Amino acid sequence: MSVRQAVAWCYRGGSISAEPRINERIRVPEVRLVGPSGEQVGIVPLAKALELAQEYDLDLVEVAANARPPVCKLMDYGKFKYESAMKAREARKNQAHTVIKEMKLRPKIDPHDYDTKKGHVVRFLKQGDKVKITIMFRGREQSRPELGYRLLQRLAEDVQELGFIESNPKQDGRNMIMVLGPHKKKTEAMAEAREAQAARKAERQGGSSEAPAEQAPAEQAPADASAENPEA
């Protein structure tokens, strides 16, 4: 298949496999062979490389197809694929995606609502997320932008231990916007959350294991009572 045919085939819905060629699928006269432990065997005929793969009970895997000659390695390909999938899964699990949360406030917000909104902002910053704070002006409030500015400054001061002003307050139509960034990176916040979860789990397991020990004396009470009263 030519390059033009391959491209046309892909546009029709086909796909070119990204899997490396292994064993009999390798179609070259000779290869540069790498042993099971990474040692350099050298350039050998393909038939010899396949013979060594059978002797070691391993697969011959083409790891550098564009080299001349291609580089092949002796390995357990099934185990290699499994370990690669596990590493990719773990990498995705630990991958940190910085999320921008949004919190909307009114310039004349009452104290209770302010405390509630501030609590959400604190939680977002602890999680390592950025927070976009939007002050919404209505009617005559638009002529008092200083109210929104003071509110944003107050909020930034209240959470300064967890975050900082990444984008200063600025007017955007009827709204005023400020962005707070977390002091901790997302990966650090995730690691701390996992540690806290493990600690709580260990504490719960420890408490459940101690419960039977506290009930032991109550179970022995009848035996002690009979010992004190021989007539019984």
Side-chain angles (χ1 to χ4, degrees):
M1 180 184 296
S2 66
V3 174
R4 181 176 298 178
Q5 289 173 329
V7 171
W9 181 60
C10 289
Y11 274 109
R12 289 197 300 269
S15 61
I16 299 177
S17 175
E19 295 286 331
R21 293 184 293 184
I22 65 172
N23 299 328
E24 286 75 13
R25 291 173 55 193
I26 302 173
R27 303 290 186 179
V28 292
E30 59 184 14
V31 298
R32 185 178 298 276
L33 186 62
V34 179
S37 301
E39 67 276 13
Q40 297 290 331
V41 177
I43 298 177
V44 299
L46 176 62
K48 177 63 176 179
L50 292 171
E51 182 181 337
L52 290 173
Q54 290 183 346
E55 290 180 6
Y56 284 105
D57 194 22
L58 295 173
D59 298 301
L60 181 66
V61 182
E62 189 178 58
V63 295
N66 294 329
R68 292 291 180 267
V71 180
C72 296
K73 184 176 181 180
L74 298 174
M75 67 173 74
D76 185 336
Y77 187 59
K79 180 180 179 181
F80 171 76
K81 285 187 66 176
Y82 174 79
E83 292 177 348
S84 298
M86 289 298 100
K87 289 179 181 178
R89 180 181 178 183
E90 190 67 21
R92 288 193 300 270
K93 180 180 177 181
N94 295 329
Q95 189 174 8
H97 295 284
T98 300
V99 179
I100 298 181
K101 305 289 188 177
E102 184 172 13
M103 189 61 54
K104 297 182 178 181
L105 294 81
R106 294 295 306 280
K108 296 181 179 180
I109 188 171
D110 65 72
H112 176 72
D113 287 343
Y114 174 81
D115 290 338
T116 301
K117 299 282 188 178
K118 183 181 72 174
H120 292 315
V121 174
V122 167
R123 177 165 53 88
F124 295 147
L125 293 174
K126 283 184 176 180
Q127 294 173 353
D129 295 323
K130 297 181 180 181
V131 187
K132 176 184 177 183
I133 312 296
T134 302
I135 304 295
M136 301 179 296
F137 296 95
R138 293 180 182 175
R140 296 182 179 179
E141 293 176 347
Q142 298 181 55
S143 63
R144 301 287 305 279
E146 67 276 7
L147 295 177
Y149 182 82
R150 285 200 295 265
L151 181 59
L152 291 175
Q153 290 296 323
R154 174 189 172 189
L155 180 59
E157 291 176 1
D158 288 345
V159 299
Q160 60 183 344
E161 294 184 358
L162 299 172
F164 61 95
I165 299 178
E166 185 174 287
S167 178
N168 289 315
K170 62 180 179 180
Q171 197 75 25
D172 183 15
R174 294 184 178 182
N175 302 327
M176 182 175 288
I177 298 173
M178 177 182 72
V179 178
L180 295 174
H183 289 312
K184 293 181 181 178
K185 295 181 179 179
K186 185 74 171 181
T187 51
E188 296 175 356
M190 292 171 61
E192 289 185 1
R194 286 195 295 267
E195 290 176 1
Q197 184 179 7
R200 290 193 297 268
K201 183 177 179 181
E203 185 177 352
R204 288 196 300 267
Q205 292 177 346
S208 60
S209 63
E210 292 174 1
E214 295 176 356
Q215 299 175 358
E219 297 175 356
Q220 296 175 0
D224 295 340
S226 61
E228 293 177 0
N229 188 3
E231 295 180 1

